[in-house]
Structure formats: structure tokens, C-alpha cells
Amino acid sequence: MPESNGGYRGASYELLSAKGISVGDSIIIRTSDSEVAGLLMPRYESAGADHIVIKLKSGYNAGYEVSKIREIIKVPAQEGHQYQKLSNPIVASQVKDTLPQLALISTGGTIASKVDYRTGGVRAALTASELYSSVPELARYASIEPEMLLNEYSENLGPEQWTLIADKIAEKVRSGKYSGVLVSHGTDTMHYTASALSFALQNLPVPVVLVGAQRSSDRPSSDAALNLLGATIFAASSGLTGVFVSMHAGTSDDVIACHTGTRVRKNHTSRRDAFESIDASPVALIRGDSIEVQNPHPTGQIAVKNKAAYSVTGENFTARTRFDKRVALMKFYPGFDPSIISWAVSAGYRGIILEGTGLGHVSRACFPSLQAAINSGVLVCMTSQCIWGRVRMTVYDTGRDLLDMGVIPLSDMIPETAVVKAMWALANTKDLKEAKDIMQSNIAGEISRSIPI
Amino acid sequence: MPESNGGYRGASYELLSAKGISVGDSIIIRTSDSEVAGLLMPRYESAGADHIVIKLKSGYNAGYEVSKIREIIKVPAQEGHQYQKLSNPIVASQVKDTLPQLALISTGGTIASKVDYRTGGVRAALTASELYSSVPELARYASIEPEMLLNEYSENLGPEQWTLIADKIAEKVRSGKYSGVLVSHGTDTMHYTASALSFALQNLPVPVVLVGAQRSSDRPSSDAALNLLGATIFAASSGLTGVFVSMHAGTSDDVIACHTGTRVRKNHTSRRDAFESIDASPVALIRGDSIEVQNPHPTGQIAVKNKAAYSVTGENFTARTRFDKRVALMKFYPGFDPSIISWAVSAGYRGIILEGTGLGHVSRACFPSLQAAINSGVLVCMTSQCIWGRVRMTVYDTGRDLLDMGVIPLSDMIPETAVVKAMWALANTKDLKEAKDIMQSNIAGEISRSIPI
């Protein structure tokens, strides 16, 4: 066993050490009545010492009690994903320089990377050659220049990192070298970052496409290669500009959906088609080589279908990349304690996004705290925890009372986008009236319906 | 105008007063180029004085500027929903006493009720005769005994009201008089109450069916009558016991779905089919008279298909109806401030349900506060904000670290159910180990998958 024993100790540690098996090795375990093959997984520290856990081909983990294991065999590592079985690796210099140039900014997702089972961490594909070797089809559509900016699980990315990423994209855009920018990203918070970039980078002359993978590239069911390929085709050839998220459209490996950055949500913990456009169609579907535009980017001014019509150093491009993290997203639930609102005010929060029930409601018990928050200059906005649909606060007394208090209804803006937008708005103005106007104006497709509140 | 002028003032107040028009009246408004009919809606206080708002037949509201109104006419009130156009009202004494007896506990939803436009409030159908007059088909399936327990918008119902409702149901069940109990409820938090009743009332000898309406019964698109009819047919004839939610299965008026009380969520702000079973099929579909059982109630012990097999005063029936509201539901987002966790601990919270990202993650920045919360005896559990899928905390470092800290993974329990269950668990034990075991055991279908964490 290496220095890091992957959490194994006691009986399991001894058995694995005796056989020279390390975390990440392909092994076969035989018991009196079964034989299974898989990869040795790390063990979390608090788990019992008498089980060995392997990741099966199905992607699921299974645990085996050491005393019941009759035989354990280390086997040569299996071949990885089909896109990695390349006998003649492509080197970057072989890629035609007449192809569109794309920048790929890596932030730490599993996309085009390998999971290192020793640490559980993700090792990014750092060079263009590594990238083409992983997904050789890329070389048919674009010349890609990768750069590693961050290497983080996306749950650790927040407002500070959004600024870093946005500034890096702005740098790439302003260089005039690229027809598009790809951002590889962990999927956990990819939709929050997509929203952040949508507000930070306006009038983009090129597409910015976030792409992730729900399953790491060592798994037969990995979506990494196809997502990256779809993102590349879209960025290189769609002629659309703005911020998008490119992921599997369904569970089969044939269609990629490109979503508007502000209208997309991760709606499943593990499915490859976890990302869905909320109350909207995806902007485009990528099927093989073909791009089917479903729904032009909802901010008319930046949806340009004809590539010739925009200049790579677009004059109107703006990068306002700061965020004020003093915004709380509060999901209401029965029994919700209004003193959380008072706490936020006293802790210096400048904005509160309520995730209310139904059409945009919270209990009457919250009214005094909300009124106090608004009176002290906190921006309080309403979204719905239903996810689909829109708040309509004039239908019931509760909504009307909240409007009278000064709560800002956000139509069909999803809560995840609303918290990001409030952080951006409050970083860009000290004027509360202006912040309210920003929240209620459609900047990047985040409000798709303009029927009255 | 009556004392309550519905928020109108200035020019709009004067015009309405001159014509003797009150909020809730049917009116016709003519402008130079249009004529529209609708109901006069109340105006919220902060709105401008120069518009009159009516609710159109489509259910949408439209505002008209007073200066542009050429004529405004009060017309006799329109006929309501088709189910209310009954020429020969049925009186309770005419309903056959050989039919199954159901109790209907009203808590304040719009179901089988009329919206009072003067207050915006809901007037419940208080007597059985009123009920049969509203939905005459009910009299074919059951003899229903209504009782008004509460009259509240459901955003104002919380743990205290769950106890009241559960105690009232227990009383009805123990009386031995009823084949089932219907609970009419506002839809905003109906799924939270359904979860609460699922934990509070175990081994129910009869079905308890919550039913609501997304659109009030004055609207042509109202779902009130059909939802109540479906709930009644299911409660009277399915032979299944447990706690269920009965609502439209689709947007057409032909199929009602009965969902397991712990696996259902309001997923749309306004659609009639807003309620969906998460990661499960509905228990049954009601199509006309027929009950199609899709998925027996997941707690095997209480899914009894043969009515003869259970006794109305079932010996194993338990009612543990208290809840401890010192449980916080915290949705994680990028930039989430760990000091909210510390605040909750110091404020005396006994449980925290995290709505993490993806497979059950929060940022590393939260680790110290979470560890401190756990060390001080707070029950900390993990669910996913993805809604669909399940937490799997052994896949990435982040999840393993959280498990090592003592965070309890809740599989595919939805966050809304998890917060209710924690409130119930902590009211029923002071022992943290026991509370953890309760959280991780499937009591009422809230954990549908038993594959390893």
C-alpha cells in the first residue's frame, strides 16, 4: 500500500497490503458464492475496518466483508472509455490552423480528465495533446488551447472564483484570438457559475460554453467526451454568442443540449441529462455534426446567427466581474424561524432572496422581520421553491401584503440565478432603487416572461 | 364601495364608487378599441391609483387605466364552475347511508370553496349539503361528513397545526365511524403536511387523503371538483391505507394521481398537475370510476389491498403527533456563509437539514462550523437540492469528509420531507443516536432506495 492507504485499516488493510493492491487497482473478489470485478475504492475514515469496497462496472459501489473473501486478485488495469483507446495520439501541431480557435479554461471538473483514485481528486488534461488524445474527434472541429485556471470541486467555487473565471474569459475575448471560450467545470454548481458569467460578461462577441461531466471518464457510461465534443461544435460553429451550458440532452449518447446560462438547473444528482432548461427549451441541440437551434438566446441583442455579423473585439463587450457575497438565499418551510432574517440583517447582509412557496409566499410570522429588513435597506426579493412556473404575488392576500412591504417579485427567475444576480447587482451599485431595477430587468434571459406581477 | 375598498383610491375609487361596483363584481370595461369582461380584483396598497384590475376568464389579470375607460358596467354574477350549476341541490339526508363514510377535515384550501374577492380569502364549504351542491358526483361514492378545523392559507400552517390536524384525524380514526379521512389543504405546503401526517400517524387502518386546488372554483379551469372527486373515490374504494396526496395527474381534466405523502412535491407554481411523485410513480391513478394501482404504498406493512383485511380500529395504529420546530432547512449555494450554521447552534437548534449540491456536498469553508454543530449535539443531515436522485457521499472527497464528521446521509429523501421528519424525530427522542436511526430508517416511503451510501 502507498503512503495514503485510502482509509483502509485493520483486517482490510492487511489483506490489501499482502496482495500489493492499492486504491484504484482493478481487482477480482471471489467469495464462496460470487465473483465480482471492479476498482478498489478508498474507504472513508469512520467506516468499519472489515470491509473492502469496489466500484462495479455499473458505477455502483459494493462492500465485501474481509472474512468472507476467499480470494482477491489484482488484474491489469482495464481499458478506459472508448475515446481514450487511441492507438495514434494526435499532437496539437497536427490540428489544422484553419479551424476555429477556442480557448479552454479548466476549473477542475471531471471533464476530459481522469479520476485519481488515490486521492479521489480529479487530474485535469493539461495540454492540448492530452486533450486530443482523450477526445480525438475534437481535432475535426476546432483548434483548442487549454489553460488550467483552477482545480477545485465546484462546491468550493464561489463569488471570488467567479471573478477570476470572468476576468480570464474577458482576457481571452479581448485578445481577439478566439472564436469561443470553453469552461470545464464541476457540475455541482456549474449553473450558478453560468449565471454569474452571464451577468458579468455582457454583449459577448463570442460564445462562452460551460461544460462538465456527471460521470468520470474512467466509467463506460461517462458523458465527458460527448459533452466536450458538443460544446466544441457549438462554440466553433453555432454563430450564437452569450453564456451557455452544454450537457447531455437525454440518457443516450447522441444528443447534447446547449442551455441559456441563466435558465438551467441541475435537476438530478447523477443522471447524464441532469441539466434542464427551466420553463424554456434549450437554445440548441447538437446531434452529430448538426446544430439545431431551438430557441435563440433570449437577450435579443446578443443572439447573432451569422458569424460574419459580429466582430471578435466587439465594442459593446463589458466585463463587470465583481460580486458582493453578502446575499442570503433563504428557503422558506413550515416552522421557518423569522429570527434568521433578523440575524442576516444584523450580520450585515445587503440582500435576501426568499425561496417562497407556490406563487411567492411566506408565513405571516415572517412579516415583521421582513419589514424590518426592508426598512433597514436590505434588498428582499421573492422566488419560488416550486422551480417551474413564476411568482405571482397579486393573487392572494399574502403576496399583496409582501408587495406592499416592498418585497421585489422576480417573475420566473430561478432562485439559484436570483442569488447570483443579487450578488452582482449589489456589487455594481450602492443605490437600492437601481439594484431593484436591475433585479427586475431581463439582462441575460433570466426573466423570460413579462406578463404582469 | 363597501368599507374595504380593495385597495382602490383616487380616480379608480371614484369611478367604481359612482357605478356602485365592489371588488368581486362581474364587470364589463369598454375602451376606445376593446371590450373585456371579468371580475373586479382587489388592488394592492402600493399600486398606482389610476388603474382598475380585472380577472379575465382565462384566469389572468389585466389592468385598465381609468382615463382610457369609456364605459364600465356592472353585470349580474356569472355562473361559476360547471359543477356548481346544479338545478336540484342534493341534501345530505338524500345520500345513501350504505355508502362508505368519509370524514372531511377542512384546513383552509380553495377546494370545494369559493374565493371571496372582498377579502381575497377562501370561504370553505361548511356543510355536507353545500359540498354535494358543489360537487354532486361525490354523493355516488361516499357519505361525507365535513368539519372545519382551520381556515388558513397553507403558508401559515406549521408544526403546531400539523399536531392539531393529526390529533383530529386520530380522533376520527379511533371513532371507528369512517372508511377514510379527507383533508382539504392549501397547496403551498400540502406536501410538508402530508409528510408530517405520514410520520405522526403510523399503521393507519384507513386512508388519509390530502387534497387541494391550484385554481379556485370560480375559474373555468378549476381543478377543485375533480381533485375532490378523485380523493373521494380513492379514499372510499382503493383499500389502500396510509397518507396520500390527491391532485391532477396532467393538465387535462381526466386523471387524478394519488401520491405517497412523503414522496410528493409541488413542482410548479400554477399548473394543475403541479404535484409530482419524486423518483417514484404515483401510488394510483383515478380515471373516471376506476382506480389503477401503480405502486403500492412503499411501506409494505400498511399497503393492504383487501379492505376486509384490516379493522377500522386497527390495534397497531399509533399517533405521535408532536414536532420540535428547532430544525433548520439550509440550502447551500456558492458563497454560503458558514456563520449561519454557528448562529443556528447558538440559537438552540437541535437539527440542521442541509440541501447540498449534487450527490450531497457543501463547500470546505462550511466544515469547521458543521463539525462544531455536530460536536455540540446537533443532528446534521444531508439531502440534495437537485431534487431528483439521491445523495451518495462516498463518491467524492467532500462527501467522505462530511461522513467522517458525522453528517447523516438521507439517500433519496427529499429536503422538504427531511426537515419535517427531523422535527418529528427530535420531538420523539432525546437520544441523538436514536434520532439518527429514525432519520435513516424508512418509515413511510420517504427512503425508497436501500443501496449503500
Side-chain angles (χ1 to χ4, degrees):
Chain A
M1 295 291 284
E3 249 175 79
S4 157
N5 65 1
Y8 288 100
R9 59 186 203 282
S12 57
Y13 176 82
E14 281 162 30
L15 176 60
L16 293 168
S17 299
K19 297 284 183 178
I21 295 169
S22 304
V23 167
D25 283 348
S26 282
I27 57 174
I28 291 171
I29 289 180
R30 293 202 178 104
T31 65
S32 60
D33 54 5
S34 69
E35 175 179 311
V36 289
L39 295 170
L40 182 65
M41 287 293 288
R43 196 86 172 113
Y44 59 101
E45 307 293 334
S46 57
D50 50 355
H51 279 76
I52 284 175
V53 177
I54 62 173
K55 185 192 274 261
L56 306 174
K57 277 191 186 166
S58 65
Y60 290 114
N61 298 349
Y64 292 88
E65 206 180 316
V66 171
S67 67
K68 299 206 172 139
I69 294 176
R70 276 207 333 211
E71 195 175 7
I72 184 164
I73 304 164
K74 179 173 169 177
V75 293
Q78 291 181 297
E79 290 286 332
H81 188 276
Q82 52 170 334
Y83 287 115
Q84 294 171 348
K85 290 191 242 163
L86 196 72
S87 48
N88 298 309
I90 296 170
V91 293
S93 58
Q94 292 172 331
V95 176
K96 283 189 225 143
D97 54 12
T98 53
L99 285 172
Q101 285 261 95
L102 301 179
L104 168 60
I105 299 169
S106 170
T107 70
T110 61
I111 180 86
S113 63
K114 291 177 183 176
V115 170
D116 179 345
Y117 283 115
R118 276 169 199 84
T119 62
V122 161
R123 199 167 61 80
L126 291 183
T127 69
S129 297
E130 274 184 5
L131 196 69
Y132 295 124
S133 300
S134 296
V135 192
E137 290 86 342
L138 293 176
R140 284 167 43 203
Y141 300 101
S143 165
I144 301 179
E145 216 178 273
E147 174 174 347
M148 190 171 90
L149 177 67
L150 297 163
N151 192 11
E152 276 289 356
Y153 291 130
S154 74
E155 61 267 30
N156 293 318
L157 303 181
E160 292 88 350
Q161 289 77 25
W162 299 338
T163 301
L164 280 178
I165 299 168
D167 285 341
K168 176 57 73 180
I169 295 170
E171 178 194 314
K172 301 284 185 192
V173 168
R174 290 194 172 117
S175 77
K177 273 180 64 182
Y178 305 98
S179 306
V181 180
L182 304 174
V183 180
S184 71
H185 199 288
T187 58
D188 267 29
T189 68
M190 183 160 62
H191 43 314
Y192 293 93
T193 301
S195 276
L197 298 176
S198 300
F199 300 118
L201 305 172
Q202 290 177 34
N203 300 315
L204 274 162
V206 299
V208 171
V209 186
L210 286 87
V211 60
Q214 285 281 85
R215 305 193 185 166
S216 56
S217 39
D218 66 302
R219 284 175 60 173
S221 65
S222 176
D223 51 340
L226 195 71
N227 289 346
L228 184 57
L229 192 60
T232 298
I233 293 171
F234 181 84
S237 328
S238 72
L240 296 176
T241 66
V243 177
F244 307 91
V245 168
S246 170
M247 292 289 286
H248 267 56
T251 50
S252 62
D253 251 350
D254 53 1
V255 187
I256 294 299
C258 280
H259 306 274
T260 300
T262 55
R263 292 223 64 80
V264 63
R265 194 176 185 282
K266 182 173 180 175
N267 279 341
H268 198 282
T269 57
S270 60
R271 281 172 65 131
R272 292 180 291 173
D273 56 348
F275 282 78
E276 291 183 292
S277 283
I278 303 298
D279 289 318
S281 317
V283 175
L285 297 178
I286 320 298
R287 211 184 294 271
D289 277 5
S290 98
I291 301 174
E292 300 164 15
V293 175
Q294 307 286 306
N295 179 14
H297 199 289
T299 52
Q301 80 278 15
I302 60 167
V304 181
K305 284 208 189 182
N306 175 3
K307 276 177 69 177
Y310 62 81
S311 124
V312 172
T313 50
E315 277 175 41
N316 297 322
F317 171 58
T318 56
R320 286 186 292 172
T321 65
R322 288 177 315 119
F323 295 86
D324 185 334
K325 62 193 277 186
R326 289 172 293 172
V327 176
L329 174 62
M330 292 187 181
K331 177 168 173 169
F332 175 79
Y333 55 92
F336 179 87
D337 180 356
S339 59
I340 298 176
I341 297 166
S342 317
W343 171 81
V345 175
S346 65
Y349 275 78
R350 296 182 63 206
I352 294 174
I353 303 296
L354 294 167
E355 223 185 275
T357 58
L359 296 167
H361 304 137
V362 295
S363 68
R364 225 167 19 232
C366 297
F367 288 6
S369 308
L370 285 176
Q371 187 67 75
I374 291 166
N375 291 350
S376 68
V378 175
L379 180 74
V380 178
C381 304
M382 182 64 79
T383 63
S384 177
Q385 62 189 252
C386 292
I387 308 202
W388 281 271
R390 57 189 289 274
V391 302
R392 293 189 70 198
M393 299 179 64
T394 54
V395 178
Y396 292 100
D397 280 359
T398 305
R400 289 192 293 269
D401 288 345
L402 290 166
L403 289 176
D404 285 341
M405 263 178 226
V407 172
I408 313 296
L410 296 185
S411 186
D412 63 347
M413 201 187 308
I414 61 172
E416 292 80 2
T417 295
V419 67
V420 173
K421 188 177 182 186
M423 289 180 184
W424 180 80
L426 291 170
N428 282 291
T429 181
K430 290 200 191 313
D431 179 50
L432 198 60
K433 170 78 176 61
E434 198 186 341
K436 285 179 192 174
D437 288 345
I438 293 171
M439 289 309 291
Q440 292 197 295
S441 307
N442 180 33
I443 292 176
E446 72 279 14
I447 297 174
S448 69
R449 285 185 265 185
S450 56
I451 43 177
I453 53 167
Chain B
M1 294 291 285
E3 249 174 79
S4 158
N5 66 2
Y8 288 100
R9 58 185 203 281
S12 57
Y13 176 82
E14 282 163 29
L15 176 61
L16 294 168
S17 299
K19 296 284 182 177
I21 295 170
S22 304
V23 167
D25 284 346
S26 281
I27 57 175
I28 291 171
I29 288 180
R30 293 203 178 103
T31 65
S32 60
D33 54 4
S34 70
E35 174 178 311
V36 291
L39 294 169
L40 182 66
M41 287 292 289
R43 197 86 171 112
Y44 59 102
E45 308 292 334
S46 57
D50 50 355
H51 278 77
I52 285 175
V53 177
I54 63 174
K55 186 192 274 261
L56 306 174
K57 277 191 188 168
S58 66
Y60 289 112
N61 298 347
Y64 292 87
E65 207 179 317
V66 171
S67 67
K68 299 208 172 136
I69 294 176
R70 277 212 325 218
E71 195 175 9
I72 184 164
I73 305 166
K74 179 172 169 179
V75 292
Q78 290 182 299
E79 289 288 330
H81 187 276
Q82 54 169 330
Y83 286 116
Q84 295 170 346
K85 289 192 238 161
L86 196 72
S87 47
N88 298 308
I90 296 170
V91 292
S93 60
Q94 292 173 331
V95 177
K96 285 190 223 140
D97 55 11
T98 53
L99 285 171
Q101 285 260 95
L102 301 180
L104 168 61
I105 299 169
S106 169
T107 70
T110 60
I111 180 89
S113 63
K114 291 176 183 177
V115 171
D116 179 348
Y117 283 115
R118 276 169 198 83
T119 63
V122 161
R123 197 166 63 81
L126 290 183
T127 70
S129 296
E130 275 184 4
L131 196 68
Y132 296 124
S133 300
S134 296
V135 192
E137 290 87 341
L138 293 175
R140 284 165 46 201
Y141 300 100
S143 164
I144 301 178
E145 218 178 273
E147 175 173 346
M148 191 171 89
L149 177 67
L150 297 164
N151 192 11
E152 276 290 357
Y153 291 129
S154 74
E155 61 267 29
N156 293 318
L157 303 181
E160 292 89 350
Q161 289 76 26
W162 299 337
T163 301
L164 281 178
I165 299 168
D167 285 341
K168 176 56 74 180
I169 295 170
E171 179 194 314
K172 301 284 185 194
V173 167
R174 291 196 173 117
S175 76
K177 274 180 65 181
Y178 305 99
S179 305
V181 180
L182 304 173
V183 180
S184 70
H185 200 288
T187 58
D188 267 29
T189 69
M190 183 159 63
H191 44 313
Y192 293 93
T193 301
S195 276
L197 298 177
S198 300
F199 300 119
L201 304 172
Q202 291 177 34
N203 299 315
L204 274 163
V206 299
V208 171
V209 187
L210 286 88
V211 60
Q214 285 281 88
R215 305 195 186 164
S216 56
S217 39
D218 67 301
R219 283 174 60 173
S221 65
S222 175
D223 51 341
L226 195 71
N227 290 345
L228 183 57
L229 191 60
T232 299
I233 293 171
F234 181 83
S237 328
S238 72
L240 297 176
T241 65
V243 177
F244 307 92
V245 167
S246 170
M247 292 288 288
H248 267 55
T251 50
S252 61
D253 251 350
D254 53 1
V255 188
I256 294 299
C258 280
H259 306 274
T260 300
T262 56
R263 294 223 64 79
V264 63
R265 195 175 184 282
K266 182 172 180 175
N267 280 340
H268 198 281
T269 57
S270 60
R271 280 172 65 130
R272 291 180 294 172
D273 57 348
F275 282 78
E276 291 184 292
S277 284
I278 303 298
D279 289 319
S281 318
V283 176
L285 297 179
I286 321 297
R287 210 184 294 271
D289 277 3
S290 98
I291 301 175
E292 300 164 15
V293 175
Q294 306 287 306
N295 179 14
H297 198 290
T299 53
Q301 81 278 12
I302 59 165
V304 181
K305 283 209 188 179
N306 176 2
K307 275 178 70 179
Y310 61 81
S311 124
V312 172
T313 51
E315 276 174 41
N316 298 323
F317 171 58
T318 56
R320 287 186 290 173
T321 64
R322 288 177 316 119
F323 295 86
D324 186 334
K325 63 194 277 187
R326 289 171 295 173
V327 176
L329 174 62
M330 293 187 181
K331 177 167 173 170
F332 175 79
Y333 54 92
F336 179 86
D337 179 357
S339 60
I340 299 177
I341 297 166
S342 316
W343 172 81
V345 175
S346 66
Y349 275 79
R350 296 182 63 207
I352 295 174
I353 303 297
L354 295 167
E355 222 184 276
T357 58
L359 296 167
H361 303 137
V362 295
S363 68
R364 225 168 18 232
C366 297
F367 288 7
S369 307
L370 285 175
Q371 187 66 74
I374 292 165
N375 291 350
S376 69
V378 175
L379 180 75
V380 179
C381 303
M382 182 64 79
T383 63
S384 177
Q385 63 189 252
C386 292
I387 309 203
W388 281 270
R390 56 188 290 274
V391 302
R392 292 190 70 198
M393 299 179 64
T394 55
V395 178
Y396 293 99
D397 280 359
T398 305
R400 289 193 293 269
D401 288 344
L402 290 166
L403 288 175
D404 285 342
M405 263 178 225
V407 172
I408 314 295
L410 295 185
S411 186
D412 63 348
M413 199 185 310
I414 60 173
E416 292 81 0
T417 295
V419 67
V420 173
K421 188 178 183 185
M423 289 181 183
W424 180 80
L426 291 170
N428 282 290
T429 181
K430 290 199 192 312
D431 179 50
L432 199 60
K433 170 76 177 59
E434 199 185 342
K436 285 179 193 174
D437 289 345
I438 293 171
M439 289 309 292
Q440 292 197 296
S441 307
N442 180 34
I443 291 175
E446 72 279 14
I447 297 174
S448 69
R449 284 186 263 185
S450 56
I451 42 175
I453 54 169

